[in-house]
């Protein structure tokens, strides 16, 4: 048995020396461990024969077997440590990073045209002393229609057909509903704009979408006149489209304002001379406006004999399309980077 143990030690150490030069050290060392130090290893098989030894030989052979096992384990640990160091050195060489090399730049995004124009409009009105007020997109019928002088049998509801959650809750058709919330919660003076998404049951085509963006504005205070409305919109238009921009009012009807007007701006492409953008008219319709109807003020517990106000609203997509000469609304929602990267 002594010769077997000594031969096994020599064989294991020789085999371990050969492993250190193997291509796959981890796998080879694991196989070596199973072969010489595992539960079914050759060393265990030799030690099972100790039962046939005399009582005097057993402790001697047991001590020798422990020495052999210790020598193999020590050599294995040393070989594994060397293998790990070699593997680390190899990785450091192969995976070296040259920190002096320039980094790989990622393409920078940019604001969507709708977001960019909305931000520009918001900044203009903030500069004029307005505050931005947000409101719910899922709205009660009362705030979206009735409080704005559009009762259930009013024909204006047909032009603003929308998506109903139930008979009393709907997706708002205009951000004017936010103005009602604001007037109910706050006493005059009020100077606010309410930008956001609105919804109407429209078929998708080059100029219509079931979802689009609006900005509604409201001013309520003592002594507010149509002149204040015109001056505010003139300053707004000149800031948005250029200092030489002019505006004109055309009589119109909105249920929640009286008097009401459609507001045109002089074409910012041709300066009012007439071109393809303005269809030769020299003017571009941009928004609707008017003086807040007294009944709307009364519903919000504001005395129309003491206070007056004006309101206006514009579709952001319309401004975007006119400003960037876009002829199809659908391009703004298709998320084609080739298109969006132009702006």
């Amino acid at each position: 048995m002594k010769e077997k143990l000594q031969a096994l030690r020599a064989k294991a150490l020789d085999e371990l020396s050969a492993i250190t030069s193997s291509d796959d050290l981890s796998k080879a060392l694991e196989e070596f461990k199973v072969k010489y130090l595992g539960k079914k290893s050759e060393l265990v098989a030799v030690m099972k024969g100790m039962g046939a030894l005399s009582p005097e030989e057993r402790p001697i052979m047991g001590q020798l077997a422990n020495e052999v096992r210790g020598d193999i384990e020590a050599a294995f640990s040393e070989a594994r440590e060397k293998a790990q160091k070699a593997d680390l050195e190899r990785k450091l060489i192969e995976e070296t990073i040259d920190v002096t090399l320039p980094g790989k730049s990622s393409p920078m995004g940019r604001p969507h045209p709708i977001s960019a124009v909305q931000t520009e409009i918001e900044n203009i009105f903030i500069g004029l002393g307005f505050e931005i007020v947000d409101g719910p997109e899922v709205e009660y019928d009362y705030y979206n229609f009735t409080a704005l002088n559009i009762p259930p049998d009013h024909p204006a509801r047909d032009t603003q057909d929308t998506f109903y959650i139930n008979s009393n809750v709907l997706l708002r058709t205009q951000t004017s509903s936010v103005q009602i919330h604001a007037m109910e919660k706050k006493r005059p003076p009020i100077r606010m704009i309410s930008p956001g998404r609105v919804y109407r049951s429209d078929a998708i085509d080059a100029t219509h979408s079931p979802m689009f963006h609006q900005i509604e504005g409201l001013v309520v205070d003592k002594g507010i006149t149509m002149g204040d409305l015109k001056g505010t919109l003139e300053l707004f238009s000149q800031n948005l489209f250029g200092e030489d921009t002019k505006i004109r009012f055309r009589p119109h009807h909105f249920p929640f304002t009286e008097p009401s007007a459609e507001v045109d701006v002089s074409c910012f492409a041709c300066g009012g001379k007439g071109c393809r953008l303005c269809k030769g008219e020299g003017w571009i319709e941009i928004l609707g406006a008017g003086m807040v109807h007294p009944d709307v003020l009364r519903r919000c517990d504001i005395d129309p004999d003491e206070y007056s106000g004006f309101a206006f609203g514009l579709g952001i997509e319309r401004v975007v399309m006119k400003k960037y000469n876009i002829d199809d609304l659908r391009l703004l929602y298709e998320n084609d980077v080739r298109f969006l990267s132009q702006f």
Side-chain angles (χ1 to χ4, degrees):
M1 178 172 284
K2 180 179 180 181
E3 289 76 11
K4 286 184 178 181
L5 289 170
Q6 291 175 339
L8 182 60
R9 175 168 51 190
K11 179 185 175 183
L13 296 179
D14 289 343
E15 191 170 323
L16 192 59
S17 298
I19 287 175
T20 56
S21 60
S22 171
D23 292 334
D24 192 347
L25 292 179
S26 298
K27 182 179 178 181
L29 286 171
E30 188 61 31
E31 291 175 352
F32 174 87
K33 183 178 180 181
V34 172
K35 182 178 179 180
Y36 290 101
L37 299 172
K39 293 181 179 180
K40 297 182 180 180
S41 64
E42 295 183 30
L43 180 59
V44 172
V46 172
M47 293 178 67
K48 285 181 179 179
M50 291 182 65
L53 298 177
S54 64
E56 293 79 13
E57 291 179 312
R58 285 177 192 168
I60 298 173
M61 290 301 102
Q63 182 179 358
L64 179 59
N66 289 333
E67 290 176 359
V68 169
R69 184 178 184 87
D71 291 344
I72 295 174
E73 286 179 343
F76 172 77
S77 297
E78 184 179 353
R80 183 170 57 183
E81 186 177 347
K82 288 181 180 179
Q84 290 172 345
K85 287 182 179 179
D87 186 53
L88 177 60
E89 290 176 0
R90 177 184 58 79
K91 287 183 178 180
L92 289 174
I93 294 172
E94 293 177 355
E95 301 174 10
T96 298
I97 299 175
D98 187 350
V99 295
T100 64
L101 290 174
K104 295 180 180 178
S105 60
S106 299
M108 291 293 292
R110 64 189 72 191
H112 190 281
I114 293 176
S115 299
V117 170
Q118 178 175 325
T119 300
E120 186 177 1
I121 293 172
E122 289 174 352
N123 289 336
I124 291 171
F125 280 109
I126 289 172
L128 294 174
F130 286 66
E131 65 174 328
I132 299 175
V133 181
D134 195 14
E137 295 180 21
V138 179
E139 186 59 275
Y140 286 106
D141 178 281
Y142 172 80
Y143 289 98
N144 192 78
F145 288 127
T146 306
L148 292 165
N149 264 4
I150 310 176
D153 58 349
H154 198 287
R157 292 204 178 202
D158 295 335
T159 62
Q160 294 191 28
D161 189 20
T162 185
F163 304 91
Y164 283 82
I165 309 302
N166 57 44
S167 60
N168 192 40
V169 180
L170 48 78
L171 298 183
R172 67 184 181 187
T173 64
Q174 53 197 355
T175 55
S176 301
S177 57
V178 183
Q179 299 174 6
I180 303 299
H181 287 289
M183 286 190 287
E184 285 183 345
K185 296 175 182 176
K186 184 179 179 181
R187 297 296 86 191
I190 298 171
R191 287 173 177 80
M192 57 160 283
I193 57 171
S194 52
R197 286 183 292 265
V198 297
Y199 306 85
R200 296 184 187 179
S201 185
D202 291 336
I204 300 175
D205 58 28
T207 57
H208 295 85
S209 170
M211 187 280 291
F212 55 100
H213 297 76
Q214 274 191 346
I215 288 185
E216 304 277 348
L218 173 71
V219 171
V220 178
D221 203 348
K222 294 180 180 179
I224 298 296
T225 67
M226 199 80 169
D228 297 310
L229 171 61
K230 187 174 186 297
T232 299
L233 295 181
E234 199 164 47
L235 278 172
F236 160 68
S237 301
Q238 289 171 353
N239 275 275
L240 186 63
F241 299 114
E243 293 182 359
D244 297 328
T245 302
K246 298 180 177 61
I247 67 171
R248 73 175 183 183
F249 282 18
R250 289 182 289 107
H252 195 72
H253 169 71
F254 297 111
F256 38 86
T257 54
E258 180 63 38
S260 305
E262 291 280 12
V263 183
D264 303 331
V265 297
S266 56
C267 180
F268 36 82
C270 66
K273 297 177 181 178
C275 66
R276 186 176 69 86
L277 181 62
C278 62
K279 299 179 181 179
E281 296 181 359
W283 297 92
I284 297 174
E285 180 186 325
I286 209 70
L287 51 82
M291 300 300 293
V292 179
H293 198 290
D295 288 345
V296 174
L297 294 175
R298 288 190 188 96
R299 286 193 182 93
C300 298
D301 198 26
I302 296 175
D303 186 355
D305 294 327
E306 182 178 1
Y307 294 99
S308 58
F310 65 75
F312 56 87
L314 67 155
I316 299 177
E317 280 84 349
R318 174 175 289 189
V319 177
V320 172
M321 292 175 71
K322 296 296 185 182
K323 188 170 184 178
Y324 296 119
N325 199 14
I326 299 170
D327 58 7
D328 195 325
L329 176 67
R330 291 168 291 194
L331 292 169
L332 295 171
Y333 295 106
E334 291 175 348
N335 294 324
D336 190 329
V337 176
R338 295 171 299 177
F339 169 76
L340 295 177
S341 61
Q342 300 176 66
F343 306 100

